[in-house]
Amino acid sequence: AGILNFCANNYLGLSSHPEVIRAAVEALEKFGAGLSSVRFICGTQSIHKDLEEKIAHFHQREDAILYASCFDANAGIFEALLTPEDAVLSDELNHASIIDGIRLCKANKYRYKHMDMQDLEAKLQDAQKHRLRLVATDGAFSMDGDIAPLREICQLAQKYDALVFIDECHATGFLGPNGRGTDELLGVMDKVTIINSTLGKALGGAAGGYTTGPKPLIDLLRQRSRPYLFSNSLPPAVVGCASKALDLLMESNAIAQSMAAKTQRFRSKMTAAGFTISGKDHPICPVMLGDARLASVMAEDMLNRGIYVIGFSYPVVPKGKARIRVQISAVHSDEDIDRCVEAFTEVGRKHGALP
Ligand code: PLP
C-alpha cells in the first residue's frame, strides 16, 4: 500500500485505463479466451485483421502483421527478408531481440558504434558490395533513454541505397507530436521502411508485437516468418485492449502530452537536485550512479520510502555505469513526481551520491 511504481513501461497508464479494460472484457466475452491455433490455420478473427489495419493506419504504413511479442517480430524479420547476398548494419546497443533476430539470418553482419554516424558511413561504404543493405536501430534505447539520430541515419541510407528498420518499443504511442514514434518526432516518417513495435508497453501493456511497412514485405512475412507461422494467435482480450489503446491515442494526444510534461518536471527537478540523468526528453530517466552497490542499496532504500525503482548494473549496462532507471507515466501526478524526487534527494544524501 502506498508504493508508487516508477519502473514500468506503462508510459501512458493505459494498462489500468477503464475503457481499455472494458474493451478486453468485451473481446473476451464475444470472441473467447483463445484460438488454439496459429493465424493461418484457424487463428484469425475479424479483430486480428482490424487491429492490423489500425496499426498500419496509426503509423501511416501500407500493412501490418501481428506477433505474440515484439521479441518474435524481431526474431522473424531478418531471416525472412535477408539472404546471404545482403547486409545488415546494426547499432551495437540494439535490444537483445534485434541481436538474436540478426543472428538467425545469413546476411553479412556489421555492428556500428552506438549512434556513431561516421562509423555507420564507413560500414555502409564497405557494404556496397552486397545486394541489399538494411540499417537496424532502436528508435529509443531503453537503457539510456537516448534517441537514435534518425534524420542522419536516413540521409546515409539514401546516399548508400539502404533500407531503414527501427524498433519502436520505447517510442510508439508517445514520441512525436501525435505519438507516432521516433520517425514522427524527427520528421522522417516517409524515409523509414520498416517498424517493429510492441503492444506490451505504452499500448495497454498486455502483450503482443507487430511489424508495419510496405504491403509486399508484410505479405512476405506472412509466408516466411517463423514466429508468425509457428506460434499461437494473440488472444482476443489482448487484441481488444491494444485496439482500444490505439483508438484513445488517435482521438487525442492529451495523454502523451501529460506524460511529456511530467517527464520534463522529473528531469529538471532531479538535475537541479544534483543528479545526472541520461538521455533527453524521454520518459526513461536513468539516474546515473556509477557504482553497482550504490545503485542497489539506493533502490532498496527508495522502496523503504514508498518508491519502487530498480538498480541496473553489469552485465545489463557497462561496468562502472550502474544506474537506477526511472520511468515516468501519464498516471503519475505532479505530487507523485515530487515525492519521487524528494526520496531520491534524501537517499542520495544518505549514501553519498549527493553532497
Ligand atoms: N525491443 C525492445 C527495444 C524492447 O525494449 C523490448 C522489450 O523489452 C522488446 C523489443 C521485446 O518486446 P516484447 O516484450 O513485446 O517481446
Side-chain angles (χ1 to χ4, degrees):
I3 290 174
L4 294 171
N5 187 347
F6 274 91
C7 54
N9 297 308
N10 184 22
Y11 298 111
L12 299 175
L14 295 182
S15 64
S16 53
H17 194 290
E19 286 187 50
V20 173
I21 294 171
R22 198 175 326 118
V25 172
E26 279 170 11
L28 183 64
E29 283 173 353
K30 189 160 174 207
F31 292 91
L35 279 300
S36 308
S37 170
V38 300
R39 283 289 298 279
F40 79 92
I41 301 179
C42 57
T44 297
Q45 295 169 312
S46 56
I47 47 172
H48 296 91
K49 300 299 290 173
D50 291 347
L51 179 56
E52 285 171 337
E53 210 176 290
K54 207 174 274 187
I55 288 168
H57 177 66
F58 179 78
H59 287 283
Q60 298 175 24
R61 299 302 200 274
E62 287 173 14
D63 203 355
I65 175 174
L66 285 170
Y67 286 89
S69 69
C70 185
F71 203 108
D72 277 355
N74 286 343
I77 191 156
F78 300 101
E79 190 197 21
L81 181 63
L82 303 174
T83 72
E85 288 166 32
D86 303 321
V88 56
L89 302 97
S90 169
D91 187 293
E92 64 181 351
L93 293 191
N94 275 342
H95 188 259
S97 54
I98 301 179
I99 295 169
D100 284 8
I102 289 175
R103 275 191 192 140
L104 289 171
C105 81
K106 294 199 171 74
N108 299 276
K109 291 150 193 151
Y110 295 82
R111 203 167 66 136
Y112 63 92
K113 292 194 193 117
H114 181 48
M115 305 207 306
D116 182 331
M117 294 300 98
Q118 271 187 348
D119 196 35
L120 175 59
E121 180 155 26
K123 303 252 150 80
L124 277 166
Q125 281 165 353
D126 193 61
Q128 288 304 294
K129 56 191 180 231
H130 304 300
R131 185 187 70 131
L132 183 151
R133 288 151 292 286
L134 178 69
V135 180
T137 180
D138 279 6
F141 290 84
S142 60
M143 286 300 139
D144 293 293
D146 51 354
I147 292 168
L150 275 192
R151 244 180 253 137
E152 293 77 3
I153 289 176
C154 290
Q155 273 165 10
L156 285 175
Q158 208 161 4
K159 185 169 169 191
Y160 294 98
D161 192 22
L163 300 174
V164 177
F165 159 97
I166 57 176
D167 175 324
E168 288 282 88
C169 283
H170 296 277
T172 299
F174 56 91
L175 283 191
N178 301 298
R180 292 328 190 239
T182 319
D183 58 338
E184 188 195 35
L185 178 75
L186 299 174
V188 289
M189 283 185 90
D190 57 338
K191 302 220 162 47
V192 169
T193 312
I194 309 164
I195 294 174
N196 276 8
S197 193
T198 185
L199 305 172
K201 301 192 195 296
L203 300 185
Y210 58 84
T211 297
T212 184
K215 187 161 178 9
L217 168 79
I218 304 302
D219 289 344
L220 180 85
L221 292 173
R222 287 195 202 284
Q223 297 298 321
R224 291 225 202 119
S225 176
R226 293 167 69 83
Y228 175 82
L229 289 170
F230 300 113
S231 186
N232 228 20
S233 225
L234 272 185
V238 170
V239 175
C241 130
S243 184
K244 177 54 76 177
L246 283 168
D247 288 345
L248 293 173
L249 296 182
M250 286 192 273
E251 269 165 32
S252 149
N253 62 3
I255 306 176
Q257 278 178 350
S258 127
M259 190 272 292
K262 283 158 193 163
T263 296
Q264 178 57 29
R265 185 179 185 95
F266 180 79
R267 283 181 169 271
S268 59
K269 289 200 165 199
M270 285 291 281
T271 308
F275 287 104
T276 302
I277 312 296
S278 166
K280 192 172 162 274
D281 298 335
H282 195 283
I284 293 174
C285 304
V287 183
M288 303 306 286
L289 297 165
D291 182 66
R293 206 182 128 61
L294 177 64
S296 146
V297 293
M298 274 183 65
E300 245 178 73
D301 234 356
M302 290 291 288
L303 191 57
N304 295 333
R305 284 164 173 77
I307 306 287
Y308 186 19
V309 285
I310 296 287
F312 287 66
S313 53
Y314 182 80
V316 179
V317 293
K319 273 191 182 139
K321 295 214 168 157
R323 66 203 63 183
I324 292 177
R325 187 177 73 172
V326 172
Q327 287 168 287
I328 305 298
S329 169
V331 282
H332 292 136
S333 65
D334 284 351
E335 293 71 36
D336 295 340
I337 302 278
D338 295 351
R339 200 175 130 198
C340 182
V341 174
E342 275 161 32
F344 261 111
T345 310
E346 279 172 35
V347 168
R349 285 202 188 112
K350 177 175 162 194
H351 294 283
L354 288 181

